[in-house]
Amino acid sequence: MTQTPSPARRRMLKAVCTIPLAALLAYCPATFATPPDQGARPVISIAIHGGAGVISRASMTPESEAAYRADLGRALDAGYAVLEGGGSSLDAVDAAVRILEDSPMFNAGRGAVFNSEGINELDAAVMDGKTHKAGAVAGVRHVQNPVGLARLVMEKSPHVLLSGQGAEDFALENGVPLVPRSWFWTEKRWKQLEAAKRGDRLSAADIGYYGTVGAVALDREGNLAAATSTGGMTNKRWGRIGDSPLIGAGTYADNGSCAVSATGSGEYFIRTVAAHEISALMRLGGRGVREAAHEVVHGRLKELGGDGGVIVVDGKGGIAMEFNSEGMFRGARSSTGLREIAIY
Amino acid sequence: MTQTPSPARRRMLKAVCTIPLAALLAYCPATFATPPDQGARPVISIAIHGGAGVISRASMTPESEAAYRADLGRALDAGYAVLEGGGSSLDAVDAAVRILEDSPMFNAGRGAVFNSEGINELDAAVMDGKTHKAGAVAGVRHVQNPVGLARLVMEKSPHVLLSGQGAEDFALENGVPLVPRSWFWTEKRWKQLEAAKRGDRLSAADIGYYGTVGAVALDREGNLAAATSTGGMTNKRWGRIGDSPLIGAGTYADNGSCAVSATGSGEYFIRTVAAHEISALMRLGGRGVREAAHEVVHGRLKELGGDGGVIVVDGKGGIAMEFNSEGMFRGARSSTGLREIAIY
């Protein structure tokens, strides 16, 4: 008996036949969950990242790997718990990113890299896929959780992007206490700055050169959200702002397509408007979430010379985690039963 | 005798039949040049803008209108002269925007609006459609031509976006002299700040609330470029950064689609990633330059509540100048014989 393919199966076959790229996808390291139909209970999904770059197995001890996995797991489960309790995707990405900011392991909040003056300068953004509202901060130095300040900018100001001391004035006017710079100090990052100033090539052990943290989520209401937070580049100068706080570059969310958080060599994500390009490929180009992420990360980003990766969740809970670097700290969990934490 | 339509005519007919939006376009104020085939001599085109917003005929005297038109004409012709001499689109947009920055009439460079502290804080960006390289500065206070500094960031730094004092350090390290703040001071803008601080509603005479200047161009080599420069919003606080220096929001260029410079209520251009969305609609959605500009300016931008406009040039020299506000200072010139300057 010949089986008639289901409509979903037919669409998939058509995609495989018409898009040569699809043949390549089987070989790429990425998670892609196409959740089964769950009837009345909508799928919920979350993905997180803790940066991408030169992360070789050789540079990791079993202890350090376990510590990274533990903090990624805490952030992932905290975000998932929000979704499972019926909370919004905005609250979920906020909760996950705060944990990664407070962890000294990642280049965001506490544990951020130092700029050339030995100061931690922090950037963050958040976007709501339902309303297309967004908030972001760049170059703040005394805010424990930049992602929370970005959310306040979105909710309490008419603006999207606030910078420097002005952003800290806004924080104080809205009841956000400032913390001393010592809150962000870690020995590992200080040594990285000293090495960078000596002109040492950053060794494989210097995980986090492209460090960033981020989260994307789909809630039970079908709303998508994205958040990203970073300390930027070690030894950065001249008030450099990377892609993380720039809507469309490192952070983007749109209920009609996907939510994206990026990590990597930020300038290339700005030039390719990477997060928005993934959304455009889905909305206008008919690509699926994984195809779109793959096309940007392994296509135009790589062609320009950009390293890094993205996490993406679509409106059905499908997740893509694509990177063209050696590794990307990442995790994904959804109501389909998926729970994964990975580095390489 | 029945005439067979030309291929171009057939494409146009098909577009009109399949895209209902096209029917609307006839009613919209915009310039759209479809240049005829010029044989061996490639088309060159440039468009400029000097801001959009509440610009009513009643608020203009014949003298002030003539002054605006004169400076727009000087900028347009300076940019066009670069293209005509075989120069690059980058040089053309740079030349045009410098003239608008130096003119006290427009909200960029000299004549920029004041922030809440009574200081001119300037943002600018430039992008090269051939290489997808880009440079931008935000919040500089002592740089006569921010567009020139943005170009230096593109050409002499590994970064895209530099901000505040750091950007001025970069300027000095690259031989750009700083100017005193008095260079930017104009009585008109100071009175606007005083009115804004008193809580007066900005009257129709306060042209420039959404002021920005910008240029887009196509050169003989077929390369596109875009540049935008602004003083942002009168009485702005908290280190607010608008869309002008953000690649994909207020400024974008890609040889495969178009070059865009935007002006208006910046936050909405950030949230819609407006400039990059126009490119995506052309590349991925099959839209022409005017359809794409119309769809963003009168569609998603307006739906969110955003006011303003865009100038766009495509790879064939076609120009769109779309706005959903009362007026937009603008000009367009191309080797097809077009030369137009308009306000309403």
Side-chain angles (χ1 to χ4, degrees):
Chain A
M1 187 182 129
T2 308
Q3 279 198 325
T4 306
S6 70
R9 179 96 187 140
R10 267 184 278 127
R11 277 199 301 278
M12 207 192 80
L13 282 171
K14 189 182 164 201
V16 168
C17 296
T18 54
I19 301 160
L21 179 71
L24 281 170
L25 293 180
Y27 300 101
C28 302
T31 304
F32 181 43
T34 307
D37 191 339
Q38 303 234 320
R41 196 139 181 92
V43 172
I44 52 174
S45 285
I46 184 167
I48 63 168
H49 70 78
V54 179
I55 312 171
S56 69
R57 283 176 207 272
S59 70
M60 282 275 208
T61 63
E63 292 73 26
S64 66
E65 185 169 329
Y68 278 111
R69 286 178 175 274
D71 279 3
L72 288 168
R74 279 199 305 127
L76 183 66
D77 294 339
Y80 189 78
V82 170
L83 299 174
E84 205 170 29
S88 73
S89 50
L90 265 179
D91 285 338
V93 295
D94 188 330
V97 168
R98 273 170 200 266
I99 287 172
L100 296 171
E101 284 178 338
D102 287 344
S103 163
M105 316 282 298
F106 303 100
N107 176 19
R110 189 161 167 240
V113 299
F114 290 93
N115 73 6
S116 65
E117 296 167 33
I119 294 170
N120 305 105
E121 274 185 332
L122 311 167
D123 304 336
V126 64
M127 186 161 185
D128 176 352
K130 182 183 179 188
T131 60
H132 295 105
K133 286 191 175 175
V137 293
V140 298
R141 297 176 171 194
H142 304 89
V143 177
Q144 180 176 340
N145 291 111
V147 71
L149 184 58
R151 193 164 172 193
L152 269 182
V153 171
M154 177 174 86
E155 292 176 348
K156 306 280 185 193
S157 91
H159 303 308
V160 172
L161 176 54
L162 303 183
S163 64
Q165 285 190 351
E168 296 192 353
D169 287 342
F170 174 81
L172 288 170
E173 287 176 34
N174 284 277
V176 177
L178 299 189
V179 297
R181 296 212 307 249
S182 57
W183 167 261
F184 304 102
W185 195 94
T186 55
E187 189 180 3
K188 180 175 80 171
R189 300 301 186 192
W190 190 256
K191 285 186 173 167
Q192 281 180 4
L193 175 64
E194 288 178 330
K197 283 189 178 288
R198 280 195 308 268
D200 293 3
R201 281 185 65 89
L202 289 172
S203 73
D206 286 319
I207 293 164
Y209 186 69
Y210 288 147
T212 312
V213 308
V216 291
L218 171 72
D219 64 28
R220 286 214 197 286
E221 305 294 322
N223 293 320
L224 292 167
T228 312
S229 182
T230 188
M233 293 168 66
T234 297
N235 203 27
K236 67 183 173 185
R237 293 197 292 164
W238 304 319
R240 177 258 189 189
I241 298 174
D243 63 316
S244 303
L246 304 190
I247 300 305
T251 307
Y252 188 70
D254 159 51
N255 273 6
S257 52
C258 60
V260 184
S261 174
T263 177
S265 46
E267 277 70 12
Y268 297 92
F269 288 78
I270 298 174
R271 290 166 55 194
T272 55
V273 201
H276 187 255
E277 179 69 10
I278 291 172
S279 162
L281 284 168
M282 292 180 68
R283 279 182 295 120
L284 303 167
R287 314 293 202 281
V289 64
R290 192 177 168 197
E291 279 174 282
H294 186 276
E295 203 166 320
V296 168
V297 170
H298 299 277
R300 53 202 81 193
L301 192 73
K302 192 143 196 168
E303 283 156 24
L304 288 183
D307 289 331
V310 295
I311 53 171
V312 194
V313 62
D314 70 18
K316 292 177 179 170
I319 294 170
M321 303 199 286
E322 288 281 350
F323 54 100
N324 64 25
S325 49
E326 209 167 326
M328 180 167 80
F329 295 107
R330 63 198 185 279
R333 190 169 172 188
S334 94
S335 55
T336 62
L338 171 76
R339 185 181 184 281
E340 182 193 330
I341 289 171
I343 300 177
Y344 311 106
Chain B
M1 186 181 128
T2 307
Q3 281 196 324
T4 306
S6 70
R9 179 96 188 139
R10 267 185 278 127
R11 277 199 301 277
M12 207 191 78
L13 283 170
K14 189 181 162 201
V16 169
C17 297
T18 55
I19 300 161
L21 180 69
L24 281 170
L25 292 180
Y27 300 99
C28 301
T31 305
F32 181 44
T34 307
D37 192 338
Q38 302 236 319
R41 196 140 180 92
V43 173
I44 53 174
S45 285
I46 184 166
I48 63 166
H49 70 78
V54 179
I55 312 171
S56 69
R57 283 176 206 271
S59 70
M60 282 274 208
T61 64
E63 293 73 26
S64 65
E65 184 168 330
Y68 278 111
R69 286 178 176 274
D71 279 4
L72 288 168
R74 280 199 304 127
L76 183 66
D77 294 339
Y80 189 78
V82 171
L83 298 174
E84 206 169 29
S88 72
S89 51
L90 264 178
D91 285 338
V93 296
D94 187 331
V97 168
R98 273 169 200 266
I99 287 173
L100 297 170
E101 284 177 338
D102 286 345
S103 163
M105 316 282 297
F106 303 99
N107 176 19
R110 189 161 167 240
V113 300
F114 290 93
N115 73 7
S116 64
E117 295 166 34
I119 295 170
N120 305 106
E121 274 185 332
L122 311 166
D123 304 335
V126 63
M127 187 160 184
D128 176 351
K130 181 184 179 189
T131 61
H132 294 105
K133 285 189 177 178
V137 292
V140 298
R141 298 176 171 193
H142 304 89
V143 177
Q144 180 177 340
N145 291 112
V147 70
L149 184 58
R151 192 164 172 192
L152 269 182
V153 171
M154 178 174 84
E155 292 174 349
K156 305 280 186 194
S157 91
H159 303 307
V160 172
L161 176 55
L162 302 183
S163 64
Q165 284 190 351
E168 297 192 352
D169 288 342
F170 174 80
L172 288 170
E173 288 176 34
N174 284 277
V176 177
L178 299 188
V179 297
R181 295 212 306 248
S182 57
W183 167 261
F184 305 102
W185 195 95
T186 56
E187 188 180 3
K188 179 175 83 172
R189 300 302 185 190
W190 190 257
K191 284 185 173 166
Q192 281 180 3
L193 175 65
E194 287 177 330
K197 282 188 178 287
R198 281 195 307 269
D200 292 4
R201 282 184 64 90
L202 289 171
S203 74
D206 287 318
I207 293 164
Y209 186 67
Y210 290 147
T212 311
V213 308
V216 292
L218 171 72
D219 64 27
R220 286 215 198 286
E221 305 294 322
N223 293 320
L224 293 167
T228 312
S229 182
T230 188
M233 294 169 65
T234 297
N235 203 26
K236 68 184 173 185
R237 293 196 292 164
W238 305 318
R240 178 258 189 188
I241 298 174
D243 63 317
S244 302
L246 304 191
I247 300 305
T251 307
Y252 188 70
D254 159 51
N255 273 7
S257 52
C258 60
V260 185
S261 174
T263 177
S265 47
E267 277 70 12
Y268 297 92
F269 288 78
I270 299 175
R271 290 167 54 194
T272 56
V273 201
H276 186 255
E277 180 70 8
I278 291 172
S279 161
L281 284 168
M282 292 180 67
R283 279 182 294 119
L284 302 167
R287 314 293 203 281
V289 63
R290 192 179 168 196
E291 280 174 282
H294 186 276
E295 202 166 321
V296 168
V297 170
H298 298 277
R300 54 202 80 195
L301 193 71
K302 193 144 194 165
E303 284 156 23
L304 287 183
D307 289 332
V310 296
I311 53 171
V312 193
V313 61
D314 69 18
K316 292 176 179 171
I319 293 171
M321 303 198 287
E322 288 281 351
F323 54 99
N324 64 26
S325 49
E326 208 166 326
M328 180 166 80
F329 295 106
R330 62 199 186 278
R333 189 168 173 189
S334 93
S335 54
T336 62
L338 171 77
R339 186 181 183 281
E340 183 194 330
I341 289 171
I343 301 178
Y344 311 106

